[in-house]
Structure formats: structure tokens, C-alpha cells
Amino acid sequence: MMGLMQCLPLTIGSVIDHAERNHNGTEVVSRGTEGTLERSTWGRVAQRSRRVAAALESLGAKPGDRIASLAWNRLPHLELYYGVPGGGYVLHTLNPRLFEEQIRFVLADGGARILFVDPDLLPLAEGVLAIHDAPMTVVVLCDRKDLPKSPLADLVAYEDLLAAAEPLAAWPDIDERSAAGLCYTSGTTGNPKGVLYSHRSTVLHAMSLCSADSMALSARDHALLLPPMFHVNSWGVPYASAMCGAKLVLPGSALDGASLHALIRDEEITFSLGVPTVWFTILDRIEATTTAEERAALKLDRVFMGGAATPRALVQRFRDLLGVETMQAWGMTETSPVVAVCRTAARHRDLSPEAHLDLRAKAGRCLFGSEIGIGAEDGSVTGPGGDNVGPLLVRGHWVASGYFGKEPGSALDAGGWFDSGDIARIDGDGFIQITDRAKDVIKSGGEWISSIELENVAVAHPAVREAAIIGVPHPRWQERPLLLLCLHEGASVSRAEMLAHLADHVARWWLPDDVVCVDELPHTGSGKVMKAELRHQFRSHLEQAG
Ligand code: AMP
């Protein structure tokens, strides 16, 4: 017997419709290039996104067409987040931090014929399109008067396009399983691969973000959106905040400590999210420029981190400096991204402050909607509690089944599991501990050394701003760890001092063979240290060792 309840499609249009009906006047704030703030509301975003959908129809777009964006976290990009999928098209977000050649590959692979671009990114688009075969309509996200000069013919001004469009009266009917967004993996090795999110996966993932053991996003929040809107849909928060009626603050392209601190203070931010590196920058700024009273006046309550391991030292700094809760999460482009979040349970109430910090430095426990396991060589999968180390596998409602252009299910094994490429352990309490990215694993004399654990200890040293451990070829041990350090301004630490610091926390044979200080570590477009590049650069570093 079937249930007798209504069954409505889980579509992105229905999310913004809800925000328009229930959170119409709630603010959405966007920072422009000169630092000016533009203020809109969820109601206005809803109206303008229906104009976007109508405008796309007038440009000749057909349902299912990919529509590309090359833009920062700004209001027009948010309007595309709703208008493009709401109208039945697929928003293909391009990462401007990739090399021109990679962007060209990703754009051609996605097959878009319409590109929306921020004015300051137009020179990049020109370079990309200079050797792009297919025709492209380029819409610049500005007023006609602000259109930059360009060798590209027939540039369209976004505001002209919207003004000429009659907003859709209602969103078209859309199958909830149809494609809504296309986002490419960072591609640190090989070409980036496209992950094709559906309306259903996007809506379910956003609902999960609002739950108490995830981000607990709500109408009481003012959320500052730091993950770029070209990286995994900004972790789903543009959709989740409309769903729950949070005020949303978009920082534009200025991600320096001073600009972000000003937004946190002036927009009374309660919740924010981003990769750990960005938080070091913000905390350095706050620590250096504010008094204890000014820090106490901040409304920041919790921060959500992912994309890389959150060092214990960062959790501690947030607690001690600002009294803020850090929530580490695990996920990836292929998982929408949030699968696991590190929040405590009732059984952790009486933990000591130190044990609490240890717990917070784990990657989190699995939320409803996904299932995780550790794979073994014989093909078996162990769920939480197994305590064995191996490939972290995942399956669920918002996990990719195949990459763009490939068959459904082609990215999965026979059990329907997606191999994340991370090496992990799931402890008896259900918390994931990532020990390495499979391709970054260091194997020395046949034994594994966890680069993440070593890096976490290294950044706990007060002189260290950022640390990366890489495996470099060694004549006797095949590979040995090399520690690369980026220090705080004016700080110093000797090799012997750093090795003594590490020796207090890790096995002796894990100690790096050398410590090298560098001015900067190279990062990918999504803020990860580019270890492949470092491995290449330092490949001969230990050649003379014996
Ligand atoms: P991306 O697809 O660019 O979002 O990268 C996903 C990868 O980031 C994962 O496969 C992990 O290697 C890494 N990652 C994400 N969250 C964590 C975490 N909490 N701890 C360690 N690594 C993480």
C-alpha cells in the first residue's frame, strides 16, 4: 500500500520561492571591489532570479543547457544560483584561480554557450576565449555604463539583460533528478572532472546543513560566505540560507584579514565557514588589532571548516581568543560536499577541556543522508568502530554516481561505494580521522607516516603560520618526510628546535629528515597546498642523504 502524502519535486526554484514568501525582507549583503556594500533581500533575489531565467530564454538557451559563470561571491552570482537552475538550465561555475588553459578545458568540457563574467575577470575570459572554438555569448555582471573595453564583440551588460526581461510568473516544472549545477574537481593531478549535481541532491544537502548536528544554520544567523561560489556551490550555504532565512553576507573578491574582520564586526556575523588557511589570516588580524573588549563585542558564535584538516592549534586559538566553537567537517566536490561534521554528543558532556580539543580536531561523524566505511583489499567494507586504516568510502543521496559525460554509476564500485581517495580511520565513537590523501601518503621503509598528523603538530608551534609535509625520494628508505614551513612575520625557529617540538608528539622515525622555511606555500584554487608541485620542486632535496 502506498502512503497518501503529497509528493512535490525537491527543486531549487522551490527554495527561493519559500524564501520569498517567508523571509522576504531578510538581508543579503554583497561587497563590491571598492569596498562598497550593496544591500538586497531574499525577496529581491527571488524576483531578479526569475528575470535571469526569462533572459536566458531570450538568449536562446534550451532546458539542460550549461550556463557558465566566472565570478566571485557577489549578488549577481547568487541570482544566477537560483535563476539558472530554476529556469531548467545547469549552472557551470568556473574557477578563476585555475590556469587559463585549465579554465579553457573545463569550459569546453562543460559545453556552455553563454558565459556570465565579473567585470574584473573579463581579461581572464578574453584570454580563455581567444582560442575557444564554439560561439559564446558573454554577459558582464554590471551596468552598461561600467562595461569594460574589450576585444570581445557584442558584450552584453547584465543589468540591460535583466531590465529587458519579463520575470517568469512561475518556475517551469522540473524533474527533481535533473541536473542543476556543474562543478569541476580541483584537478591537482590530471584534468579536472565534472560533478553534476541534481535539484534533489542540492535541496536534500541544504536541508541537512540546517540540522543541529551540521551547521545548525537558522533564521537567527548572519552568515559570512567565504568558500568561493565556484567551489562545490559554496558548500551549499547559498541554498541553505534561503531555506532557513539566514542573512547572507558575500565578501566579493577581498579575502584579506582587514576586510573580513570588518564584515564580521559590522554585519554582526554569527556563523562563517571556510578552509583553515583563511581562518589563520582572520585570527592574525583580529589578534593584532583588537582589544579584549572589541573581541568580546563580536557576535561570532561558530565557524565551520573543511577542505583540509583543521589543526588542533586552530581549534584552541578560536576557543581561547574568541570563545568560538569550531566545527570541522569532511567532504569533497563529489559529495556536495558535507558528509560528516565534528559536533559532540551527550556522552561527551563531561570531557575535560583538553579531551574536548582532541575531539574537535577530528574530521567529524557521519550525518544522515550518507554512509561511510573503510575499504579493505579483499573488497570488504568496515563501518564505524572497525578502527582499521584504509580508503574512506562513501555513498548517499548527495554523492556523485558518475562524472560529467560518463554513465550513471561509473564512479562507483560493485557495492555502490565512491572511493574518496582519502586514507582514514573511523574510531569506535564514529569519528573520522583522515590520515592522508591517498596520493600524498608517505611510505618510508614500508611503513606509513601520516603527513596530516605531523602538520598539525608543526602548526601548533607559535612561530609557524602554515606547514606542509611531503614525501621525497630517499636512497635507503624509498621516501622520507620533508617539512616545509611558512613562518609568522618576524618569527623564527631553528631546525633543531622544530624537531625537538615534533619529537614530543610523534614517533622518532616519523621525524622529518629536514626542515625548510619558505616565503609562501603554493595553493590550489580551493585553498589546498599543492603537494604535487612541492614534491616536484624538492624531489632532489635528500638525494645526498645516506
Ligand atoms: P575538494 O574536492 O576540493 O573539496 O577536496 C576534497 C578533499 O579535501 C578531501 O578528499 C580531503 O582530502 C580534503 N579534506 C576535506 N575535509 C577534510 C578534513 N576535515 N580533514 C582532512 N582533509 C579534508
Side-chain angles (χ1 to χ4, degrees):
M1 182 187 280
M2 300 299 283
L4 279 171
M5 302 307 282
Q6 297 182 17
C7 186
L8 304 171
L10 298 168
T11 56
I12 288 173
S14 71
V15 175
I16 197 69
D17 282 350
H18 170 83
E20 187 178 32
R21 283 192 299 266
N22 298 283
H23 308 293
N24 195 290
T26 301
E27 266 191 317
V28 177
V29 181
S30 172
R31 194 176 184 285
T33 30
E34 294 84 33
T36 47
L37 294 180
E38 189 181 346
R39 293 183 181 274
S40 183
T41 58
W42 281 118
R44 192 150 185 267
V45 170
Q47 286 165 19
R48 285 175 54 95
S49 60
R50 283 199 295 273
R51 277 186 189 272
V52 168
L56 285 170
E57 205 176 329
S58 73
L59 290 177
K62 298 277 174 292
D65 276 2
R66 271 75 62 212
I67 308 295
S69 67
L70 190 63
W72 305 112
N73 291 14
R74 296 200 311 121
L75 257 170
H77 209 176
L78 185 68
E79 292 158 4
L80 298 179
Y81 256 55
Y82 285 100
V84 173
Y89 316 102
V90 181
L91 182 64
H92 178 187
T93 51
L94 300 169
N95 182 348
R97 297 199 187 121
L98 296 180
F99 297 113
E100 210 172 272
E101 212 176 292
Q102 281 177 305
I103 301 177
R104 192 174 296 123
F105 167 84
V106 167
L107 180 63
D109 200 57
R113 295 284 179 272
I114 300 172
L115 169 67
F116 288 84
V117 57
D118 261 343
D120 59 328
L121 293 172
L122 189 60
L124 179 61
E126 288 162 1
V128 169
L129 293 175
I131 23 180
H132 182 78
D133 293 336
M136 187 71 70
T137 303
V138 179
V139 182
V140 186
L141 294 164
C142 64
D143 270 323
R144 175 199 290 260
K145 67 176 174 35
D146 297 326
L147 267 187
K149 288 214 176 347
S150 169
L152 292 174
D154 305 325
L155 285 186
V156 181
Y158 181 65
E159 292 301 336
D160 279 2
L161 185 70
L162 260 57
E166 187 59 39
L168 296 187
W171 299 112
D173 287 339
I174 291 175
D175 184 324
E176 64 177 16
R177 293 163 303 175
S178 39
L182 177 63
C183 188
Y184 279 66
T185 58
S186 317
T188 39
T189 52
N191 271 330
K193 290 183 283 226
V195 180
L196 193 58
Y197 308 105
S198 67
H199 282 259
R200 176 186 160 84
S201 71
T202 307
V203 172
L204 288 175
H205 175 257
M207 286 175 88
S208 161
L209 297 185
C210 299
S211 66
D213 273 348
S214 182
M215 294 179 183
L217 204 62
S218 80
R220 286 165 295 290
D221 278 317
H222 292 185
L224 174 63
L225 191 71
L226 299 183
M229 292 173 80
F230 47 80
H231 183 232
V232 212
N233 291 329
S234 260
W235 305 2
V237 169
Y239 298 122
S241 28
M243 198 175 259
C244 69
K247 164 176 160 177
L248 187 63
V249 178
L250 308 167
S253 58
L255 296 179
D256 59 286
S259 309
L260 296 179
H261 172 215
L263 283 178
I264 291 172
R265 182 192 58 216
D266 302 341
E267 297 303 319
E268 304 190 325
I269 297 301
T270 59
F271 172 83
S272 187
L273 63 160
V275 292
T277 23
V278 83
W279 289 112
F280 280 111
T281 313
I282 296 172
L283 285 182
D284 286 350
R285 169 77 196 185
I286 293 180
E287 191 164 21
T289 61
T290 59
T291 62
E293 289 77 51
E294 284 166 336
R295 291 197 288 273
L298 295 177
K299 301 283 188 293
L300 193 63
D301 169 49
R302 50 201 206 289
V303 290
F304 189 93
M305 284 179 220
T310 301
R312 187 180 188 275
L314 186 56
V315 180
Q316 185 166 12
R317 219 169 144 209
F318 261 111
R319 185 193 68 182
D320 297 348
L321 189 69
L322 298 177
V324 160
E325 180 191 352
T326 37
M327 300 133 82
Q328 177 165 189
W330 179 84
M332 58 197 311
T333 307
E334 288 90 333
T335 65
S336 296
V338 182
V339 163
V341 181
C342 192
R343 300 209 81 179
T344 54
R347 62 183 178 279
H348 303 120
R349 209 170 11 220
D350 298 327
L351 286 184
S352 69
E354 283 304 296
H356 213 267
L357 279 181
D358 290 341
L359 186 79
R360 294 246 171 243
K362 294 182 180 177
R365 56 195 167 81
C366 193
L367 296 165
F368 172 77
S370 303
E371 193 185 347
I372 52 172
I374 301 295
E377 267 172 28
D378 63 5
S380 62
V381 180
T382 322
D387 225 28
N388 43 326
V389 176
L392 178 61
L393 310 180
V394 57
R395 58 186 179 192
H397 297 298
W398 47 88
V399 177
S401 137
Y403 289 101
F404 181 65
K406 302 276 187 298
E407 288 302 309
S410 54
L412 311 179
D413 71 10
W417 293 98
F418 176 84
D419 185 344
S420 67
D422 286 342
I423 305 297
R425 169 194 305 121
I426 308 173
D427 69 20
D429 218 8
F431 286 81
I432 305 172
Q433 272 175 287
I434 307 288
T435 59
D436 259 300
R437 194 81 196 125
K439 58 182 163 42
D440 294 336
V441 151
I442 303 171
K443 230 174 182 185
S444 181
E447 298 288 339
W448 285 4
I449 295 176
S450 164
S451 61
I452 292 185
E453 234 172 295
L454 277 169
E455 285 159 7
N456 284 346
V457 178
V459 291
H461 190 285
V464 178
R465 181 181 159 72
E466 201 179 6
I469 286 277
I470 52 167
V472 289
H474 186 282
R476 175 162 173 207
W477 300 106
Q478 296 87 48
E479 247 188 349
R480 286 296 301 158
L482 171 67
L483 174 58
L484 302 169
L485 294 179
C486 183
L487 301 181
H488 289 293
E489 227 177 277
S492 69
V493 60
S494 69
R495 177 180 185 276
E497 218 181 308
M498 179 46 66
L499 291 179
H501 166 74
L502 293 174
D504 287 342
H505 302 274
V506 303
R508 285 213 86 80
W509 66 274
W510 276 30
L511 289 182
D513 278 31
D514 203 4
V515 180
V516 178
C517 289
V518 293
D519 291 341
E520 277 300 328
L521 290 169
H523 290 98
T524 64
S526 52
K528 289 191 187 28
V529 175
M530 296 170 86
K531 291 204 174 170
E533 187 171 316
L534 290 173
R535 276 194 295 269
H536 181 71
Q537 195 181 335
F538 289 93
R539 65 193 180 283
S540 313
H541 193 81
L542 301 179
E543 228 160 43
Q544 307 311 321

